[in-house]
Amino acid sequence: MVKDLVTEGKPLIELAGVNKYYPLGKNAQLHVLKELNLTINQGEFVMIMGKSGSGKTTLLNIIGMLDQLTTGEYFFNEKPVAGLSENEKSELRNANLGFIFQQFFLIDSLNVSQNVSLPMVYKGHKNSSYRREQAQKYLELVGIPEKEKQKTTELSGGQQQRVAIARALVNDPLMIMADEPTGALDSETGIAIMDILTSLNDHGKTIVMVTHDEDMTRYASRVVHLKDGEIIQEIHGKRGEVKS
Amino acid sequence: MIFNILTSTVLSLKAHKLRVILTMIGIIIGISSVVTITSLGEGLKQSELDMIDDSGINTIKIIYEEPEMAGLGYYSWTPFTFDRIDMKRLRSVPDVAAVTADYGYGGFTAGEQIDSKLKLFGIESSAQIVAATEDTSPVSYGRNFTTEDMDKPVIILDDNAASGLANDMEKSELIGKAVSLDGYMYKIVGIKESVDWDSMMNVDEDLFLSTVPKKAFLALSKSKPINAIKITPKQGADRDTVISAVAETLASYHADLDGSFVEDHYMDDMRQQMEQVYNIAIWIFIGITGISLLVGGIGVMNIMYVSVSERRREIGIKRAIGAKPKVILLQFLFEAAFITLLGGIIGIAFGYGISHLFSFILQTMNMGDFTAILRPAMAAIAAGVSVAIGLFFGIVPAIGASKTDPIKAIYQ
């Protein structure tokens, strides 16, 4: 169902000398990311790990073009991100990135199908029946085709996360960004969600996931350890063999 | 894209029905007040204008204008008067359906009440005169009209006029005497009873009037000077063409005159002035009631701020999945405009209903005889103003929403 990437192995994300400061009142600032260098290739399953406050979510947000780096360089698919307007970044996010959050962040006023369709709306797909068909296709992929017309508030946590995954996939992005996607789920449901992400990665989808759960490393092809805004350890390997 | 945003706007509004209704109330009140005032004002204006039009609808009043008065457009004193031959000539002008004399400006026509002076042996008394075909008012002296009186110059005086004329005489002595009305002599045949002031509520209004027989009056008035000629064009005839044909005909027979024959614009001018006064009054009232719209608009702004702050996370999520800032801006702007448009439409319907109910009540209570009028253009303007209020008061919260930092919004 998900296209195999013909350009597997090509750098998708290139960060060089990235620093991120947050202002803390007058003349004070918090140095969140320090001289960070990271390259993520297409088809990788990268797990960013670290304790709370290590800067992992900030890094994910910078990669996802939701946040801006203070200094350094960022190339997305070999193109510089610096200097892009908000509109251009929105277009890039919409077409190339799918977001999955710990708290799912679905829109309660929309039903399941409408939630999944939303990125297509922003992409400019005018045909609503096409949007519905696509939404249904991805709901089938995540295993909840029958929930199409339900309200999101009537779903379990696991089901909501599946809807969020379907929404992240609906524009067939190059990369999925997941911020603690199993953090709010019980372990069994968490495994089911990870199985979906693993399967997507098997079909060539690049996945960058933030977690503090050591057990998750078995799903990754690379683990990046952050501490106080610096990469302290980076482990490559085959899935199931990577251990930090 | 716009359609998609509209769809998402409607879905979002459906999810917050109560808030939408509460926001709309201000706009409904504002628009319905404006529409009520406008409809009542328009109705009242139209009924007044119709009254003016009825008095001269489809008729053209032709007057003679002295050279020094050229361009004035309505009658000013001139030694020139029309005669019956002029009227006869005009009857053969193409597209002229009817020609009547207008004694106006000093004279009067049958059925019309006028204040006039009656004279008897040098004593003058003012009276309201009406030319009638019968008079059944009770008389205290003399008698009422008989069938034979109808072509005779006789008059029945009202008690007041009789008292004024009697001077040292008894009122009864006036019977049989001749009284002068506008230079024409009328024989007094009766004097009406005096008005019973104690029964003021159901007083016989004819008791206030002195009466002359219509036929006799018309016969006498034939020799009155004709100040103007009224032309009724044939159905479908071009007004201006008829006027110029009439003016040319008259000019050709009165080649010795320096002045010109023109249409009398007095009624038109009066109509225009009245319309202007009404329009000004209507706009003043719209201005006053418009204040409630301002309050409604501020309510919209308030609610939009609440809505934006409540839905910050939703904004952040939408931005994350690719909504451009302008899409967020349009979504909130559409919401504000949609709420106010819906409020406006309901307000227009309410205003229409209230104004009609009000004019109906006034009619049943005999306090006014007009029907409220809501012109389509006015309804369209009201709907447009509603949307404009939504856009005006919604723009600042919408800009705020579009500038929301997605990170702060998502992880609020």
Side-chain angles (χ1 to χ4, degrees), chain A residues 108-125:
Chain A
D108 294 342
S109 57
L110 306 178
N111 69 22
V112 167
S113 177
Q114 287 162 342
N115 262 284
V116 177
S117 302
L118 210 50
M120 284 190 283
V121 170
Y122 297 136
K123 201 171 185 180
H125 285 294

Side-chain angles (χ1 to χ4, degrees), chain A residues 151-165:
Chain A
K151 285 184 176 177
T152 56
T153 45
E154 292 166 353
L155 304 179
S156 68
Q159 287 168 335
Q160 288 195 50
Q161 197 59 297
R162 283 167 197 263
V163 176
I165 294 172

Side-chain angles (χ1 to χ4, degrees), chain A residues 22 57 61 66-67 86-87 90-91 93-94 99 101 105-107 109-110 114 118-119 121-126 131 167 171 179, chain B residues 1 3-5 7-8 11-12 15-16 313-314 316-328 331 405-407 410-411:
Chain A
Y22 281 123
T57 297
N61 288 336
L66 290 171
D67 206 350
E86 275 305 315
N87 282 341
S90 298
E91 274 174 22
R93 273 201 301 273
N94 181 252
F99 287 87
F101 302 96
F105 292 152
L106 301 175
I107 295 168
S109 57
L110 306 178
Q114 287 162 342
L118 210 50
V121 170
Y122 297 136
K123 201 171 185 180
H125 285 294
K126 285 179 183 149
R131 291 201 305 258
R167 181 179 66 185
N171 275 346
D179 187 4
Chain B
M1 176 60 88
F3 180 76
N4 291 338
I5 299 172
T7 312
S8 104
L11 287 170
S12 155
H16 302 97
R313 176 164 288 154
E314 180 187 316
I317 296 164
K318 285 180 173 175
R319 293 278 286 112
I321 63 176
K324 291 176 187 172
K326 77 168 182 202
V327 170
I328 302 292
Q331 189 195 324
D405 180 345
I407 294 293
I410 293 171
Y411 299 104

Side-chain angles (χ1 to χ4, degrees), chain B residues 21-75:
Chain B
I21 292 167
L22 290 175
T23 316
M24 278 195 309
I25 287 175
I27 298 298
I28 292 172
I29 292 171
I31 289 288
S32 61
S33 325
V34 170
V35 168
T36 305
I37 290 292
T38 315
S39 307
L40 287 174
E42 275 294 319
L44 197 59
K45 181 175 88 180
Q46 198 54 52
S47 100
E48 293 289 321
L49 294 179
D50 285 350
M51 257 160 62
I52 293 178
D53 290 345
D54 282 350
S55 60
I57 198 156
N58 284 334
T59 62
I60 303 162
K61 199 169 180 178
I62 301 291
I63 51 165
Y64 173 73
E65 214 169 48
E66 293 286 355
E68 62 270 25
M69 290 296 171
L72 182 66
Y74 49 84
Y75 183 83

